[in-house]
Amino acid sequence: MAADAQIVTKMNLSPGGAQSKMHDGWYVDENGERHVQLMIFPDDYLIEKLRGQPKGIKQILMERNLWPSKKPRLVCKKYSEKHDDLMRLDCCAQKILSS
């Protein structure tokens, strides 16, 4: 895989840190519209220390309006063992994003 491939298991819940910088992605919203999503905070981002840093899973899900009201774990045992229901979206942050 490319060095900037979008691999959810290599992402942090929070921005920055040891996670690699990934190429931009896209998603389809609830109205069926396709949106390009930056995976790195832009150079003019309001919080200066986050400029140029990779976004975490929480930020990505918030931008997609998918962050649950009950804060999920980064990964749970069911998801890491691949025994979970493919349609389940209340499992963990990695499962929500990968779905």
Side-chain angles (χ1 to χ4, degrees), residues 18-72:
Q19 65 185 336
S20 59
K21 293 183 178 182
M22 299 181 182
H23 65 82
D24 295 340
W26 60 272
Y27 66 97
V28 177
D29 69 14
E30 61 276 356
N31 299 318
E33 294 180 39
R34 187 177 189 265
H35 298 274
V36 172
Q37 186 175 32
L38 301 175
M39 295 294 134
I40 298 171
F41 288 101
D43 292 335
D44 61 350
Y45 192 68
L46 293 173
I47 302 171
E48 202 170 324
K49 71 177 186 174
L50 292 178
R51 293 176 183 173
Q53 294 295 311
K55 295 178 180 178
I57 294 175
K58 181 179 179 179
Q59 180 69 31
I60 292 166
L61 291 176
M62 287 173 54
E63 291 174 6
R64 296 180 182 193
N65 294 317
L66 294 175
W67 184 250
S69 56
K70 183 182 175 192
K71 181 182 174 184

Side-chain angles (χ1 to χ4, degrees), residues 58-96:
K58 181 179 179 179
Q59 180 69 31
I60 292 166
L61 291 176
M62 287 173 54
E63 291 174 6
R64 296 180 182 193
N65 294 317
L66 294 175
W67 184 250
S69 56
K70 183 182 175 192
K71 181 182 174 184
R73 299 177 126 175
L74 173 61
V75 66
C76 64
K77 185 175 182 180
K78 282 187 177 185
Y79 181 66
S80 65
E81 293 178 353
K82 309 286 188 222
H83 294 292
D84 58 325
D85 177 358
L86 294 176
M87 300 307 292
R88 186 175 175 191
L89 295 177
D90 62 349
C91 184
C92 61
Q94 284 186 355
K95 172 65 176 157
I96 295 167

